[in-house]
Amino acid sequence: MHSPESRPARARYDVIVIGGGATGAGIFRDAAMRGLRCALVEKDDFGAGTTGASSGMIHGGARYLASQPKVTKLSCLEAGRVRRIAPHLLFRIPFVFPVPAARRRARMMLLGMDGFFEAYDRYQPLKAGMRHRRLSAAETLAIEPGLSPDIVGAVTFDEWGIDSHRLCWLNARAGIEAGGDCFTHTRIDRLEPADRDGSAWEVGGGSTLDGGRWAATARCVVNAAGPWGPAVAALGGGGYRLRPAKGIHLVLDRRIVNFSIAATAPDGRTIFLEPWQNVTLLGTTDDDYYGDLDDIPVTQDEVQYLLQAMETVYPRIRSCRLVTTWAGVRPTLFEYGRYEDDLSRTHKVFDHGVSDERPGLFSVAGGKLASYRAMAEDATDAVLRFLGRTAPCRTADVPLPGGDGVGRPADAPPPPGLAPHTLRRLEYRHGSLVGEVLAPAADRPSLLRPICRCEPAIEAEVRHAVRREMAVTLDDVMRRTRLGTGPCCGVRCALPAATIVASEMGRDAAWAREEARRFLEGRYRARRPVVDGDGYRMEAIVHRAAMDVLRTR
């Protein structure tokens, strides 16, 4: 593991993986566990792109059951495998799909949904899911009182939620522990054959933080850069097409529902209101995207689209407090003439030695978060075939770090000074490794103090993120700990956390203030689409006040 400021001299690897999302980190872990000398290079941070902008679910893909049953089966299989290797990181999300009485032939629709989910029940055991149930209107309103009373009934089913940022980091950590190297905040700008016979590749890039250069050679390169993938492949003379699809989520203050509520948008797309960790998500859209992948806007039209759809079954949605948004782009395989929501969610490994006479260069695209491990296995299999080596894949059976279930006894009291709910959140993120986070607090109890009340990340966890989890910016810390993701969006915790990061990295107070300012600016930009009128003016006042505090500290 390496910080941007301490890159080693030029190295030679069997394989270099470009991209630190779930698929790239999964390939890195798989390749390292199979004995390959490998490196992962990421232009930002683990899960900072498409993976981190997902709906935070390892779900079975019920919506693809009729048109792409193989996708549904693979997703359920893989959801079950992820649950086995990272049980601490998953949480059950029950769904309720109400049918409005105003819908044409509403009762027939309810019966049809009952039959559809009966078919989905055949796949539920693969991921330890529960069987669906058909509910009457009265039963539905009893479990979710906030629903519109004008319904004929509902169908329930369940999926698994996950912290996708932690998933990426745990795969990266596993690869590091198996002997691999990781380089974050390094943008690749050079990818070319090192010699005429194509036996090696030269890979070079520059730090996005300090401008330093990084270079290495490898026998092969796997491009797992998601929607950025075609541009990366083009650097090496390869090519393939995607049909990037933009999706946004709105984040609501606290958990406002007991179940994830599904609703139908005016264009027929299914959206959902999802209780997720300490907040509630409303998403997601699915639209062709042609813009800047590094600056994906959230528009008022998209916000209204989601609110309009959800209020048909959850009338009070507009009275709930929206605190921020996030947006991402899916690296969907190219198809022409199909509605975005109907595009295939299958994945493909492109061998550019076959298609572009660039032996040793591979790209992987498509798929879903739930199938990231299978995608990684397929890509690593292709690399081993190219290298003429064999080694079995063990990623479906070997637990991710913290996922072995060996940790604090369930009935053990929390350390003195640590609130029980704070400990539960720490155990969720770190599993059996929570002890290594808390160990320094044995001599310094002050490390147990929460940095922010919105998401109880403690000082020890922030320091651990810098010391042991490759966090070098406040955004990195946010992805490791969820600090700054609650209702305050960092206003309360940005400066204290930046001061801690600065002390760990040997930075001064000016760096801490600038880092907190940069973090808050980013959070403010994400928040602007969901506040307007008086709310927008108050938001701007609060933001300016926070900036004034930073300037005077």
Side-chain angles (χ1 to χ4, degrees):
M1 115 182 25
H2 305 278
S3 70
E5 293 90 349
S6 59
R7 294 176 176 80
R10 176 186 294 274
R12 183 178 178 90
Y13 298 96
D14 294 318
V15 58
I16 292 174
V17 182
I18 301 173
T23 302
I27 296 167
F28 174 66
R29 175 193 181 219
D30 196 350
M33 288 175 61
R34 296 205 216 185
L36 299 182
R37 177 162 169 70
C38 57
L40 182 150
V41 188
E42 161 58 40
K43 72 180 182 64
D44 193 337
D45 182 37
F46 304 110
T50 298
T51 298
S54 72
S55 300
M57 283 190 288
I58 299 288
H59 67 81
R63 71 169 58 186
Y64 311 116
L65 180 59
S67 59
Q68 304 167 54
K70 290 183 179 179
V71 171
T72 301
K73 183 176 181 180
L74 177 63
S75 296
C76 288
L77 276 169
E78 288 300 313
R81 288 165 177 160
V82 174
R83 180 175 174 269
R84 289 197 298 273
I85 64 176
H88 65 293
L89 207 57
L90 270 68
F91 51 92
R92 197 179 294 275
I93 300 179
F95 272 75
V96 58
F97 203 138
V99 177
R103 293 293 296 270
R104 183 171 177 268
R105 304 181 68 184
R107 295 194 181 278
M108 289 297 294
M109 179 182 293
L110 180 61
L111 292 174
M113 289 173 56
D114 188 27
F116 176 86
F117 282 101
E118 185 173 346
Y120 188 51
D121 285 344
R122 292 180 295 176
Y123 298 94
Q124 287 281 27
L126 300 176
K127 60 184 181 69
M130 296 181 178
R131 292 182 61 86
H132 88 289
R133 285 192 61 186
R134 176 160 57 94
L135 305 178
S136 67
E139 290 170 329
T140 306
L141 293 170
I143 63 172
E144 196 56 73
L147 287 169
S148 167
D150 297 324
I151 59 174
V152 296
V155 172
T156 68
F157 62 103
D158 76 334
E159 302 290 359
W160 290 105
I162 194 168
D163 187 324
S164 54
H165 290 126
R166 293 295 304 177
L167 177 68
C168 292
W169 161 245
L170 293 180
N171 274 276
R173 172 170 171 159
I176 292 167
E177 291 176 348
D181 295 325
C182 277
F183 306 91
T184 56
H185 300 283
T186 303
R187 185 185 294 271
I188 296 301
D189 54 24
R190 182 166 172 259
L191 178 59
E192 57 189 37
D195 44 45
R196 292 183 179 179
D197 64 4
S199 60
W201 283 83
E202 295 273 4
V203 185
S207 169
T208 59
L209 299 180
D210 62 13
R213 295 295 300 174
W214 175 87
T217 60
R219 293 186 63 189
C220 58
V221 174
V222 180
N223 165 27
W228 293 267
V232 172
L235 285 174
Y240 64 100
R241 297 185 70 182
L242 296 178
R243 189 171 161 189
K246 174 186 173 184
I248 77 156
H249 292 81
L250 312 182
V251 183
L252 292 90
D253 184 5
R254 302 178 181 85
R255 294 175 63 128
I256 64 170
V257 287
N258 301 312
F259 282 64
S260 183
I261 300 171
T264 303
D267 58 359
R269 176 172 173 76
T270 299
I271 67 164
F272 52 83
L273 187 66
E274 172 192 352
W276 190 80
Q277 301 205 56
N278 290 337
V279 295
T280 303
L281 306 182
L282 174 55
T284 174
T285 59
D286 195 350
D287 299 294
D288 287 313
Y289 184 70
Y290 303 95
D292 184 352
L293 293 171
D294 293 314
D295 186 15
I296 306 168
V298 176
T299 69
Q300 283 289 334
D301 284 351
E302 292 167 323
V303 173
Q304 294 304 316
Y305 168 87
L306 293 174
L307 293 174
Q308 180 189 46
M310 187 50 61
E311 69 183 347
T312 62
V313 294
Y314 195 77
R316 61 182 291 263
I317 185 63
R318 292 184 186 272
S319 67
C320 300
R321 182 172 178 240
L322 296 170
V323 294
T324 191
T325 67
W326 69 61
V329 173
R330 305 172 185 87
T332 317
L333 296 177
F334 182 81
E335 293 182 74
Y336 193 88
R338 298 189 70 182
Y339 176 56
E340 297 100 319
D341 206 33
D342 295 332
L343 292 173
S344 173
R345 292 315 196 254
T346 56
H347 67 272
K348 183 176 180 179
V349 177
F350 298 89
D351 184 345
H352 297 290
V354 174
S355 59
D356 303 298
E357 297 184 348
R358 289 293 187 271
L361 178 61
F362 300 89
S363 296
V364 57
K368 299 165 63 266
L369 179 59
S371 56
Y372 89 90
R373 195 214 61 84
M375 295 170 65
E377 181 178 350
D378 289 348
T380 308
D381 286 345
V383 167
L384 263 69
R385 285 194 297 270
F386 175 78
L387 297 176
R389 297 170 62 171
T390 59
C393 177
R394 299 182 294 124
T395 57
D397 303 307
V398 177
L400 286 168
D404 55 12
V406 180
R408 296 176 67 263
D411 58 351
L418 189 66
H421 74 281
T422 300
L423 179 60
R424 285 196 296 271
R425 296 299 293 158
L426 286 169
E427 289 177 329
Y428 166 71
R429 285 192 283 270
H430 300 277
S432 64
L433 298 178
V434 69
E436 72 179 30
V437 179
L438 296 174
D443 299 321
R444 292 181 58 192
S446 62
L447 294 178
L448 298 178
R449 67 183 178 91
I451 305 300
C452 186
R453 289 176 292 177
C454 299
E455 172 65 53
I458 60 175
E459 181 175 343
E461 189 180 20
V462 174
R463 294 187 181 276
H464 178 80
V466 179
R467 293 177 184 177
R468 302 291 299 275
E469 298 186 336
M470 293 185 65
V472 294
T473 71
L474 210 49
D475 283 309
D476 296 352
V477 171
M478 177 189 72
R479 284 182 279 268
R480 305 294 185 279
T481 68
R482 289 190 47 77
L483 184 142
T485 60
C488 82
C489 284
V491 171
R492 289 188 181 129
C493 53
L495 187 56
T499 302
I500 294 168
V501 174
S503 70
E504 287 290 331
M505 296 179 61
R507 304 287 194 175
D508 59 17
W511 182 92
R513 287 195 301 271
E514 176 58 24
E515 183 64 10
R517 184 202 64 76
R518 186 198 56 78
F519 179 79
L520 286 174
E521 288 285 4
R523 302 300 291 162
Y524 180 61
R525 286 194 299 271
R527 194 166 177 160
R528 283 184 63 177
V530 295
V531 286
D532 54 15
D534 291 338
Y536 175 79
R537 286 190 288 274
M538 181 56 68
E539 182 75 16
I541 291 170
V542 171
H543 177 73
R544 284 197 299 271
M547 294 298 103
D548 289 342
V549 169
L550 291 178
R551 281 191 288 270
T552 57
R553 291 293 289 266

